[in-house]
């Protein structure tokens, strides 16, 4: 490790020990620094923690209730297409979000689709019987390292549990769809962040399902720390930059689908700052929706702050997922360590080395 990186790691570890912080936002955050800082947006989970079954469902519910007849403006960006979503093609074609967004593991997408169709038909009996069908938006990441994905343990009841439990205050880390996810060779999962443009009175919220990244490339607040963690914990099972990440963005200002797509695409800048290059085998998808169905559009040249905030909040949300995640063991005794404990161990080693140098 070169001197510049060594100094950066030392400063980062000192900040972690003193303040339990490893990231400095570039922009003002919302009140709770979460997706639900966008008024009306709620999140719920159903978590399966049963030996080799380590998985779950996460539901993101926009405000407004009747999305079937009153959809919200929505855009999407496929950064890397190794993914098995349902409903994304129509979202990109029509620019509308027609249901809550459901997240889980790769083999659960059919179950989530069926559950959302069943719930929608119960709410709107005219669906498919004189009126158009419904377009559930279901997305996934592959949690097969920690979860016995072939067990196909997710049921429609788990979807209902996630939908019924949605709230403004929601858990992060190793919960819901994030239960079995890995990130940079450590534990991944659900993370969130928000940013505020006070001048334009706009809040942008982000939620991620993080399951990607190579440990050697991990970069925290601009400091390349992955190799340092590898040296500390050489026994860690490797992870390639695959497995996927889903990024959900919500904005409380009216924007059209094209503008929302532009904002969603900037999630990629946040992933790059973390050290991801969207490797082969990764499905990296960002979806952005507005909670407002009408209003005066912002001129495109006034989107600048939202583009920058999207990158910043995505980076922060991934780190939030990793810091909030507890260590999980599951399928075939595989395990992933939570980042907080790893940073504690790394900080202790640096403190010991510093004390030794001072005594010489």
């Amino acid at each position: 490790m070169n001197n510049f990186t060594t100094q950066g790691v030392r400063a980062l570890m000192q900040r972690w020990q003193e303040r339990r912080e490893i990231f400095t936002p570039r922009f003002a955050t919302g009140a709770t620094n979460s997706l639900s800082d966008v008024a009306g947006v709620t999140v719920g989970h159903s978590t399966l923690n049963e030996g080799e079954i380590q998985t779950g469902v996460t539901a993101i519910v926009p405000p407004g209730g009747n999305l079937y007849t009153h959809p919200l403006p929505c855009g999407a960006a496929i950064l890397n297409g190794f993914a098995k979503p349902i409903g994304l093609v129509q979202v990109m074609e029509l620019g509308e979000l027609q249901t809550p967004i459901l997240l889980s593991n790769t083999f659960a997408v059919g179950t989530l689709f069926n559950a959302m169709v069943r719930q929608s038909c119960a709410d709107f009996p005219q669906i498919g019987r004189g009126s158009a069908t419904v377009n559930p938006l279901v997305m996934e990441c592959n949690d097969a390292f920690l979860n016995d994905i072939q067990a196909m343990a997710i049921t429609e009841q788990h979807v209902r549990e996630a939908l019924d439990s949605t709230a403004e205050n929601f858990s992060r880390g190793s919960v819901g769809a994030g239960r079995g996810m890995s990130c940079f060779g450590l534990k991944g999962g659900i993370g969130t962040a928000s940013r505020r443009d006070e001048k334009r009175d706009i809040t942008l919220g982000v939620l991620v399902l993080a399951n990607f990244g190579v440990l050697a490339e991990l970069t925290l607040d601009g400091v390349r720390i992955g190799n340092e963690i590898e040296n500390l914990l050489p026994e860690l099972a490797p992870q390639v930059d695959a497995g996927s990440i889903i990024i959900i963005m919500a904005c409380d200002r009216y924007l059209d689908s094209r503008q929302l797509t532009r904002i969603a695409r900037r999630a990629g800048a946040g992933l790059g700052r973390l050290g991801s290059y969207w490797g082969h085998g990764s499905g990296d998808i960002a979806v952005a929706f507005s909670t407002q169905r009408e209003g005066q559009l912002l001129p495109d040249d006034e989107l600048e702050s939202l583009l920058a905030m999207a990158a910043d909040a995505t980076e922060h949300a991934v780190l939030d997922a990793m810091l909030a995640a507890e260590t999980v063991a599951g399928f075939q005794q595989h395990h992933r360590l939570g980042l907080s404990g790893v940073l504690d161990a790394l900080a202790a080693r640096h403190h010991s080395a510093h004390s030794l140098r001072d005594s010489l």
Side-chain angles (χ1 to χ4, degrees):
M1 185 180 296
N2 60 48
N3 289 336
F4 180 82
T5 302
T6 300
Q7 291 171 7
V9 171
R10 187 179 303 137
L12 195 67
M13 291 302 93
Q14 182 176 352
R15 190 203 311 173
W16 175 251
Q17 285 186 310
E18 293 174 354
R19 291 183 281 167
R20 306 297 288 180
E21 295 176 359
I22 58 168
F23 185 75
T24 306
R26 296 170 178 83
F27 304 90
T29 68
T32 66
N33 196 23
S34 79
L35 180 71
S36 58
D37 286 332
V38 178
V41 180
T42 57
V43 177
H45 306 294
S46 178
T47 304
L48 282 71
N49 174 13
E50 303 168 1
E52 293 199 332
I53 305 300
Q54 300 291 329
T55 191
V57 178
T58 294
I60 300 99
V61 180
N66 189 351
L67 296 177
Y68 175 65
T69 58
H70 295 83
L72 293 173
C74 188
I78 300 174
L79 306 175
N80 199 25
F82 208 105
K84 291 86 177 169
I86 295 179
L88 193 64
V89 171
Q90 184 168 313
V91 166
M92 298 178 74
E93 179 70 19
L94 300 183
E96 295 179 344
L97 179 64
Q98 206 175 51
T99 70
I101 300 169
L102 299 177
L103 309 176
S104 189
N105 73 64
T106 306
F107 284 0
V109 291
T111 299
L112 270 61
F113 175 85
N114 288 341
M116 194 71 256
V117 169
R118 210 177 306 278
Q119 181 64 57
S120 299
C121 289
D123 294 338
F124 308 102
Q126 71 272 28
I127 288 176
R129 293 178 173 176
S131 293
T133 57
V134 68
N135 185 54
L137 183 56
V138 177
M139 290 181 285
E140 51 74 36
C141 293
N142 182 355
D143 61 8
F145 182 77
L146 290 175
N147 174 51
D148 182 4
I149 198 168
Q150 283 194 18
M152 301 182 72
I154 297 295
T155 68
E156 292 188 28
Q157 178 60 34
H158 297 127
V159 179
R160 288 189 290 271
E161 289 173 2
L163 288 167
D164 290 344
S165 68
T166 58
E168 291 182 3
N169 297 319
F170 57 91
S171 300
R172 300 120 54 229
S174 306
V175 295
R179 180 66 193 176
M181 302 300 170
S182 305
C183 198
F184 289 99
L186 303 171
K187 187 66 187 71
I190 298 291
T192 192
S194 68
R195 295 295 181 267
R196 283 279 300 162
D197 182 336
E198 297 290 353
K199 179 180 178 181
R200 296 171 180 81
D201 190 25
I202 300 174
T203 300
L204 180 74
V206 173
L207 179 143
V208 299
L209 177 61
N211 188 54
F212 69 103
V214 178
L215 179 55
E217 300 297 327
L218 177 61
T219 303
L220 302 181
D221 211 8
V223 178
R224 295 190 64 183
I225 199 171
N227 283 327
E228 187 89 350
I229 295 174
E230 283 189 326
N231 292 335
L232 176 69
L233 300 166
E235 72 277 10
L236 288 177
Q239 178 180 355
V240 297
D241 198 359
S244 308
I245 180 170
I246 304 299
I247 305 111
I248 307 298
M249 300 182 184
C251 180
D252 60 4
R253 172 67 185 258
Y254 174 66
L255 301 168
D256 64 19
S257 174
R258 180 185 61 82
Q259 292 176 320
L260 289 163
T261 297
R262 297 188 67 205
I263 292 167
R265 191 175 295 120
R266 270 56 184 190
L271 300 183
R273 290 170 183 167
L274 290 158
S276 174
Y277 50 85
W278 317 336
H280 173 71
S282 196
D284 308 315
I285 298 173
V287 170
F289 65 88
S290 170
T291 59
Q292 306 301 312
R293 295 181 175 89
E294 57 185 19
Q296 183 174 358
L297 283 178
L298 280 176
D300 277 1
D301 60 4
E302 291 190 32
L303 292 178
E304 196 74 18
S305 66
L306 287 167
L307 303 179
M309 291 192 304
D312 193 45
T314 299
E315 181 183 8
H316 200 171
V318 172
L319 295 180
D320 179 66
M322 298 179 72
L323 288 172
E326 64 183 13
T327 295
V328 170
F331 182 58
Q332 296 182 344
Q333 299 183 325
H334 295 165
H335 73 279
R336 294 293 192 196
L337 300 179
L339 178 59
S340 291
V342 170
L343 291 178
D344 286 341
L346 190 58
R349 188 175 79 166
H350 273 265
H351 179 74
S352 298
H354 183 71
S355 300
L356 178 61
R357 284 193 300 271
D358 289 345
S359 67
L360 296 176

